[in-house]
């Protein structure tokens, strides 16, 4: 299975107002249009209102890759990469998939996807796009020898082949959400890649795609410069030049104040109030597809004791943390925001299910916490160290707050700040924490089973995976997930199975969900953005941006 | 001074320099291998599978003995071939060259300004020692030096970038003119931070020299002030000023790292920080050796300037030679 805990925490919420609208909720969730597509028009939805072209745009993004290549593009990095190296299918702001380089696609069986390539598309150097380019672009992620950061999305891919104008992908087992992998996989020129060899994607070689914006400059992890592709096959790109930068918080604030920054995705948490106070800058926020959670390794002492886990869960004041530390975020009662289910199930049904999930998660109650601890093997409490990293100050703040409640019942928590590599190694890769850890787990794609599968499927325990950081293995959950994998991605039964998975996990309590954060977009006056959603980086976002007036 | 004396001196200094560089490279090499994560994670990403990590280790020769890996590095490094960045695939030399396009003008122009302004104001203050000009100059310089560089940077950015909007607030600019515009504030920050040290040593030494007999005698002979300053005062104060210059230019390299971060410049400092975060061994080694080589070179230059400025040093060397 795949995994992508995005380190997006630094841009989470100190609220500056802006309640979620129904529209944004729907946009943020993962409806899909799996199966046959009939449309052949360019997929991008036209922005609302009347706009005028934008000559140049400087945009702040949370992350850029060390290579300008699809193998090093995950999460928000795709927000830039996919503008040049465009995918076969486009994830639209309304949560649906639309045709792009593939003019249509079909799924003849649960394990076979067939994409018909659009004709007449050319790379920036004038060479034609062929099925062989697509096959090469897919193959860099598949196979045992791949070094792609997206490799885990491709582990079930058995065969990739061209058949005339079609590209056929066969899986070894059903994986309904694989269609989203197609929407997040850019296509590059195989010939260009061959000629550049190992230097493909480096500042001197750049990359070659068919997208609406061609790359003109690249500084690893800092900056990507792009220009409009005037010969783009689809709708004329609305922005002349895009200068995408990763800025530190001070530079970003100063850049917005001086007018050097026009738009900023995923604004940093610590300065949201400063951004909100700027007179010519407006903020938009939506629920991010992510959850802050405590993880308890359930297959070794001391957290294998369910009473200890329940004691700790009772000692965590989620309401206070959501309001105080993540001001404006919604307290979490499970691993997945309810917005994820919008469109997949009737709203009333989702609300009923979430009300039940709320009763299953131990509520903040120190008396009950003490009772649970007394029943555990550790009536005198335990001592543990929780790792945090500086890039997400919320991790430390949440843990410190939780430690106060836990300390009152005898669970002594020390907070230790480490660098990102150490944190990722201990928490994700090797599961070598003391047993209790905290993270902000972001969905790698819009599918409603993305987070439950990554965090609860026993196949994601090392050595076969690592995102099940609690080492939680449940036959019941595995059975439910396997059943869901045999259903189409938009089948309501699949959504109900997802709710069953969450129920089962709530009873076993490998995780203590804390809060669902928000993601913020900032725009200077004169710009408007339609359909901002948690997966903005999968959308062709320049098409959603318009200059007004 | 004989050529032999200079040659002997230079040979000793260069041998010491090579030894220092070797020690630096060994230490850095070993430290990186002890760090958590390892270079294979830089290539495979944080979430690479164990199989991927194993493949990467094999392809990069990371499973070879450390000594073999080090020898491989060293034999290439002597030809300035540090290999390619593990993360960005870019040849390390290219990445350093690109970074030097920002860092070299930043450090060198700042250094020149510090020397110029520091010695001029220091001399002026010494001549007017105790007077209002002296107090004002020293006071202002102290304020500049006391403020942390990032605070100075933020004040300059707020005034000239945000309020007046004369200069850009981040980035290093494309082309000569834009690059120069982008470097004005970073250079100003470094200059403000570094001038006090130069001013103080100049003021102190010039004031001391001004009180010495040979200056009094030169003045009594009616020699012009300019002649006295150039030939008697500054030349005599020169040894200490040159020594301080060496420490300032070395300090500018580390201050420059902070300033590059504050101003969002993609210089050598930023390159090093990114490489350390990514465990990008070739880049770390290349940049570290570059910095070490620079510091060693500065020290050799300072020693050579002693030769030029102080006849006593020359005499000593000649006697030894």
């Amino acid at each position: 299975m795949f995994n992508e805990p995005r380190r997006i925490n630094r841009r989470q919420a100190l609220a500056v107002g802006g309640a979620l609208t129904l529209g944004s909720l729907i946009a943020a969730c993962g409806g899909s249009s799996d199966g046959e597509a009939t449309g052949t028009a360019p997929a991008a939805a036209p922005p609302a209102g009347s706009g005028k072209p934008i000559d140049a745009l400087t945009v702040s993004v949370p992350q850029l890759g060390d290579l300008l290549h699809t193998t090093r593009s995950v999460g928000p990095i795709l927000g830039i990469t996919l503008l040049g190296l465009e995918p076969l299918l486009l994830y639209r702001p309304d949560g649906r998939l639309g045709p792009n380089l593939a003019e249509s696609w079909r799924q003849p069986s649960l394990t076979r996807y067939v994409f018909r390539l659009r004709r007449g598309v050319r790379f920036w150097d004038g060479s034609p796009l062929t099925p062989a380019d697509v096959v090469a672009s897919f193959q860099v992620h598949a196979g045992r020898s791949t070094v792609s950061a997206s490799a885990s999305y491709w582990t079930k891919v058995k065969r990739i082949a061209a058949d005339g104008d079609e590209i056929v992908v066969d899986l070894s087992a059903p994986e309904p959400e694989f269609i989203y992998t197609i929407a997040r996989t850019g296509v590059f020129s195989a010939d260009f890649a061959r000629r550049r060899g190992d230097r493909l994607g480096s500042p001197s070689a750049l990359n070659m795609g068919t997208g609406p914006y061609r790359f003109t400059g690249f500084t690893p992890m800092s900056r990507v410069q792009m220009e409009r592709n005037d010969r783009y096959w689809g709708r004329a790109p609305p922005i002349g030049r895009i200068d995408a930068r990763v800025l530190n918080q001070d530079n970003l604030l100063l850049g917005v104040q001086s007018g050097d920054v026009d738009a900023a995705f995923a604004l940093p948490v610590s300065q949201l109030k400063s951004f909100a106070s700027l007179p010519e800058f407006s903020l938009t926020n939506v629920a991010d597809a992510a959850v802050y959670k405590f993880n308890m390794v359930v297959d070794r002492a001391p957290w294998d004791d369910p009473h200890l886990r329940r004691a700790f869960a009772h000692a965590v004041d989620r309401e206070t943390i959501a309001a105080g530390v993540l001001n404006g975020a919604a307290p979490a009662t499970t691993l997945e925001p309810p917005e994820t289910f919008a469109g997949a199930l009737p709203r009333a049904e989702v609300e009923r299910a979430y009300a039940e999930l709320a009763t299953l998660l131990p509520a903040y109650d120190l008396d009950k916490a003490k009772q649970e601890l007394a029943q555990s093997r550790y009536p005198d409490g335990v001592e543990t160290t929780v790792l945090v990293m500086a890039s997400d100050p919320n991790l430390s703040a949440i843990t410190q707050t939780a430690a106060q409640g836990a300390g009152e019942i005898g669970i002594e928590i020390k907070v230790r700040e480490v660098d990102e590599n150490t944190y990722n190694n201990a928490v994700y890769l090797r599961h070598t924490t003391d047993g209790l850890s905290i993270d902000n787990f972001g969905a790698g794609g819009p599918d409603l089973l993305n987070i439950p599968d990554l965090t609860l499927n026993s196949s994601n325990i090392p050595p076969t995976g690592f995102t099940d950081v609690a080492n939680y293995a449940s036959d019941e959950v595995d059975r439910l997930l396997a059943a869901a994998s045999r259903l189409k991605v938009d089948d309501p039964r699949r959504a109900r199975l997802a709710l069953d998975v969450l129920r089962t996990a709530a009873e076993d309590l490998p995780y203590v969900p804390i809060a669902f954060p928000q993601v913020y977009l900032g725009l200077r006056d004169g710009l408007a953005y339609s359909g901002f959603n948690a997966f903005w980086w999968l959308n062709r976002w320049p098409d959603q941006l318009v200059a007004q007036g | 001074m004989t050529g032999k004396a200079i040659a002997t001196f230079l040979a000793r200094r260069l041998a010491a320099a090579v030894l220092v560089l070797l020690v630096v490279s060994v230490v850095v090499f070993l430290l990186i291998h002890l760090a958590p994560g390892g270079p294979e994670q830089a290539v495979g990403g944080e979430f690479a599978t164990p199989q991927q990590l194993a493949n990467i280790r094999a392809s990069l020769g990371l499973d070879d003995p450390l000594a073999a890996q080090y020898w491989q590095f060293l034999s290439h490094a002597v030809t300035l071939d540090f290999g390619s960045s593990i993360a960005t695939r870019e040849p390390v030399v290219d990445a350093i060259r690109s970074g030097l396009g920002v860092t070299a003008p930043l450090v060198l122009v700042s250094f020149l300004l510090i020397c110029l302004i520091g010695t001029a104001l220091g001399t002026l203050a010494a001549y007017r020692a105790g007077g209002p000009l002296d107090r004002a100059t020293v006071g202002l310089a102290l304020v500049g030096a006391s403020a942390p560089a990032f605070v100075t940077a933020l004040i300059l950015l707020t005034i000239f970038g945000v309020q007046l909007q004369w200069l850009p607030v981040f980035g290093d600019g494309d082309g000569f003119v834009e690059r120069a515009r982008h470097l004005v504030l970073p250079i100003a920050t470094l200059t403000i931070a570094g001038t006090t040290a130069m001013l103080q040593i100049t003021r102190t030494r010039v004031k001391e020299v001004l009180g010495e007999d040979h200056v009094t005698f030169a003045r009594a002979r009616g020699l012009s002030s300019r002649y006295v300053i150039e030939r008697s005062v500054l030349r005599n104060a020169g040894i200490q000023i040159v020594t301080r210059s060496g420490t300032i230019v070395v300090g500018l390299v580390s201050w420059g790292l902070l300033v590059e971060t504050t101003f969002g410049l993609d210089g050598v400092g930023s390159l090093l920080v990114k490489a350390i975060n990514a465990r990008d061994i070739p880049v770390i080694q290349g940049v570290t050796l570059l910095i070490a080589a620079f510091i060693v070179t500065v020290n050799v230059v300072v020693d050579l300037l002693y030769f030029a400025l102080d006849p006593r040093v020359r005499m000593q060397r000649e006697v030894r030679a």
Side-chain angles (χ1 to χ4, degrees):
Chain A
M1 286 304 297
F2 56 92
N3 37 67
E4 189 174 317
R6 287 181 287 127
R7 286 169 293 120
I8 51 178
N9 330 48
R10 71 194 77 176
R11 54 190 170 79
Q12 305 307 337
L14 285 173
V16 279
L20 297 177
T21 64
L22 183 61
S24 64
L25 289 183
I26 292 168
C29 73
S32 69
S33 62
D34 194 9
E36 185 101 25
T38 53
T40 55
S50 60
K52 56 184 181 182
I54 300 167
D55 290 337
L57 183 91
T58 300
V59 59
S60 156
V61 291
Q63 250 181 308
L64 287 171
D66 45 19
L67 276 180
L68 196 48
H69 193 31
T70 56
T71 54
R72 302 295 290 161
S73 297
V74 291
I77 300 172
L78 288 166
I80 296 303
T81 316
L82 291 181
L83 297 183
L85 311 175
E86 54 180 338
L88 291 190
L89 307 179
L90 205 56
Y91 181 73
R92 298 196 266 203
D94 63 4
R96 291 175 169 278
L97 290 170
N100 194 52
L101 286 182
E103 61 183 15
S104 66
W105 75 99
R106 63 183 194 279
Q107 190 179 357
S109 72
L110 283 172
T111 56
R112 171 166 284 200
Y113 293 84
V114 181
F115 304 92
R116 178 170 292 280
L117 197 60
R118 187 180 298 280
R119 290 184 182 183
V121 177
R122 291 187 175 274
F123 288 102
W124 304 321
D125 64 357
S127 61
L129 169 72
T130 66
D133 292 305
V134 180
V135 170
S137 300
F138 285 0
Q139 278 176 337
V140 293
H141 306 290
R144 289 172 67 84
S145 61
T146 178
V147 293
S148 169
S150 296
S152 45
Y153 292 83
W154 293 80
T155 51
K156 285 186 183 167
V157 172
K158 194 169 66 179
R159 175 175 165 268
I160 304 161
D163 181 7
D165 279 349
E166 293 185 330
I167 295 97
V168 181
V169 180
D170 286 316
L171 307 183
S172 57
E175 190 174 73
E177 62 270 32
F178 178 74
I179 197 67
Y180 293 117
T181 297
I182 298 298
R184 39 176 298 143
T185 303
V187 174
F188 56 85
S189 162
D191 183 49
F192 185 85
R194 209 165 22 250
R195 281 186 277 123
R196 294 301 183 276
D198 277 351
R199 296 180 67 175
L200 182 70
S202 68
S204 56
L206 302 179
N207 214 320
M208 179 67 64
T210 59
Y213 299 91
R214 60 184 181 84
F215 303 127
T216 57
F218 173 52
T219 307
M221 291 173 274
S222 294
R223 187 183 188 192
V224 175
Q225 293 157 281
M226 288 169 284
E227 283 181 6
R228 176 193 286 131
N229 172 14
D230 289 322
R231 291 182 295 176
Y232 186 57
W233 58 269
R235 177 190 163 197
I239 303 174
R241 280 175 289 121
I242 296 175
D243 190 351
R245 290 174 177 271
V246 176
L247 298 171
N248 66 44
Q249 296 187 9
D250 292 330
N251 285 150
L252 178 54
L253 188 58
L254 290 163
V256 169
Q257 287 176 293
S258 67
D260 289 345
V261 172
D262 302 303
F265 286 106
L267 284 166
V269 180
S270 57
Q271 290 184 324
L272 276 177
K273 284 179 180 166
S274 301
F275 285 108
S277 68
L278 299 178
E280 296 174 353
F281 197 65
S282 59
L283 305 187
T284 308
N285 61 307
V286 294
D288 203 354
V291 61
Y292 277 100
K293 60 182 172 62
F294 280 110
N295 319 302
M296 298 169 287
V297 178
V298 297
D299 64 352
R300 65 169 194 258
W303 298 98
D304 58 342
D305 187 328
H307 290 295
L308 179 64
R309 298 205 296 273
R310 291 189 66 80
F312 177 66
H314 275 304
V316 177
D317 188 350
R318 298 190 306 277
E319 299 276 348
T320 299
I321 291 171
V325 180
L326 301 168
N327 189 8
T333 52
T334 185
L335 295 169
E336 188 154 41
E339 292 82 11
T340 316
F341 289 89
L345 288 175
R347 190 171 173 166
E349 186 178 346
V350 176
E351 283 175 358
R352 270 200 309 278
Y354 269 73
E356 185 193 347
L357 286 168
T359 63
L360 293 174
L361 184 65
Y364 176 61
D365 186 330
L366 290 180
D367 290 334
K368 285 186 180 172
K370 285 173 188 164
Q371 289 168 18
E372 288 285 353
L373 193 67
Q375 294 176 56
S376 75
R377 301 198 307 269
Y378 311 94
D380 298 329
V382 293
E383 280 186 20
T384 189
T385 299
V386 173
L387 303 183
V388 298
M389 49 184 175
S391 59
D392 185 356
N394 293 334
L395 297 179
S396 174
I398 292 171
T399 310
Q400 301 276 10
T401 309
Q404 291 176 17
E408 289 190 33
I409 63 164
I411 299 176
E412 300 296 335
I413 297 174
K414 289 179 186 162
V415 181
R416 189 173 144 224
E417 188 173 303
V418 293
D419 67 71
E420 292 193 9
N421 274 322
T422 305
Y423 174 91
N424 285 319
N425 261 295
V427 176
Y428 292 119
L429 293 178
R430 314 208 196 288
H431 296 200
T432 51
T433 63
D434 263 7
L436 182 68
S437 62
I438 182 171
D439 71 340
N440 176 18
F441 196 91
D447 183 55
L448 51 78
L449 268 164
N450 186 284
I451 291 178
D453 193 287
L454 289 172
T455 55
L456 300 168
N457 193 329
S458 65
S459 70
N460 286 316
I461 298 172
T464 51
F466 42 81
T467 48
D468 180 352
V469 292
N471 289 353
Y472 173 68
S474 156
D475 292 341
E476 174 65 4
V477 165
D478 289 350
R479 187 188 64 75
L480 292 166
L481 289 170
S485 74
R486 290 189 288 273
L487 298 170
K488 288 208 167 186
V489 77
D490 51 359
D491 191 322
R493 289 175 296 172
R494 200 162 168 272
R496 292 189 183 100
L497 286 170
L499 289 170
D500 288 342
V501 168
L502 295 176
R503 270 188 213 100
T504 308
E507 285 162 0
D508 294 340
L509 202 65
Y511 302 101
V512 178
I514 304 160
F516 301 123
Q518 302 266 304
V519 58
Y520 286 80
L521 165 72
L523 292 175
R524 69 165 168 78
D525 281 0
L527 290 176
Y529 192 105
S530 61
F532 179 56
N533 64 87
F535 295 100
W536 59 268
W537 39 274
L538 280 179
N539 301 151
R540 182 166 294 161
W541 57 265
D543 287 348
Q544 293 161 250
L545 196 61
V546 288
Q548 296 175 320
Chain B
M1 180 170 54
T2 65
K4 192 181 172 189
I6 290 184
T8 309
F9 172 72
L10 265 180
R12 280 184 184 161
R13 296 298 302 173
L14 286 176
V18 169
L19 193 65
V20 168
L21 290 177
L22 277 174
V23 171
V24 167
S25 65
V26 170
V27 169
V28 167
F29 184 79
L30 292 178
L31 278 178
I32 292 161
H33 277 268
L34 291 174
E40 69 270 30
Q41 201 171 301
V43 183
E46 290 148 12
F47 310 113
T49 63
Q51 179 64 42
Q52 279 181 283
L53 295 178
N55 290 342
I56 293 164
R57 286 191 69 83
S59 66
L60 294 176
L62 295 171
D63 292 323
D64 294 344
L66 278 186
Q69 289 183 52
Y70 181 71
W71 176 247
Q72 175 85 0
F73 159 72
L74 200 61
S75 56
H76 286 94
V78 292
T79 61
L80 287 184
D81 175 9
F82 298 104
S84 293
S85 158
I86 289 174
T88 69
R89 312 275 173 85
E90 194 182 19
V92 174
V93 172
D94 288 357
I96 290 176
R97 191 182 296 127
S98 171
L100 280 177
V102 173
T103 303
L106 174 67
V107 169
L108 293 180
V109 175
S110 303
F111 178 64
L112 288 176
L113 286 174
I114 286 168
C115 290
L116 201 67
I117 298 170
T119 48
L121 289 181
T123 308
L124 197 64
Y127 263 86
R128 302 278 188 270
L133 185 68
D134 178 28
R135 286 198 292 272
T137 308
V138 173
L140 275 177
L142 270 176
V143 169
S146 306
F150 74 91
V151 173
T152 308
L154 287 178
I155 292 170
L156 292 176
L157 283 167
T158 304
I159 296 172
F160 296 101
V162 175
Q163 301 296 332
L164 300 172
Q165 300 197 355
W166 289 352
L167 294 163
V169 296
F170 59 77
D172 37 49
D174 303 316
F176 180 80
V177 175
E178 274 304 299
R179 176 67 52 91
R181 280 189 72 232
H182 281 76
L183 287 182
V184 169
L185 293 181
I187 286 171
T189 304
L190 278 185
T191 305
I192 289 171
T195 296
T196 307
M198 182 60 83
L199 188 152
Q200 282 177 330
I201 191 67
T202 308
R203 179 182 173 278
T204 305
R205 273 302 292 155
V206 167
K207 201 175 154 201
E208 282 172 8
V209 175
L210 281 173
E212 288 174 5
D213 290 346
H214 62 92
V215 175
T216 310
F217 184 66
R219 281 174 166 169
R221 287 180 64 199
L223 297 174
S224 72
S225 290
R226 184 175 172 178
Y227 185 89
V228 172
I229 290 172
E230 287 177 0
R231 290 301 188 91
S232 287
V233 178
L234 286 181
R235 188 154 188 188
N236 272 280
I239 286 277
Q240 284 78 10
I241 293 173
V242 165
T243 307
R244 184 55 63 91
S245 300
T247 57
I248 286 175
V249 78
V250 170
L252 282 176
V253 174
S254 54
W255 293 340
L257 197 150
L258 182 68
V259 166
E260 282 179 18
T261 307
T262 308
F263 285 91
L265 300 172
D266 285 312
V268 175
S270 301
L271 182 68
L272 181 61
V273 171
K274 286 179 195 169
I276 289 171
N277 285 333
R279 310 283 194 266
D280 197 339
I281 289 181
V283 177
I284 297 174
Q285 287 169 330
V287 174
T288 309
L289 283 179
L290 172 80
I291 292 174
F294 178 71
I295 291 170
V296 167
T297 306
V298 166
N299 282 322
V300 172
V301 169
V302 166
D303 284 348
L304 285 175
L305 284 173
Y306 286 171
F307 260 87
L309 286 170
D310 194 339
R312 289 168 300 181
V313 177
R314 289 200 295 272
M315 292 288 290
Q316 208 174 20
R317 298 286 174 193
E318 279 174 28
V319 169
R320 281 185 191 171

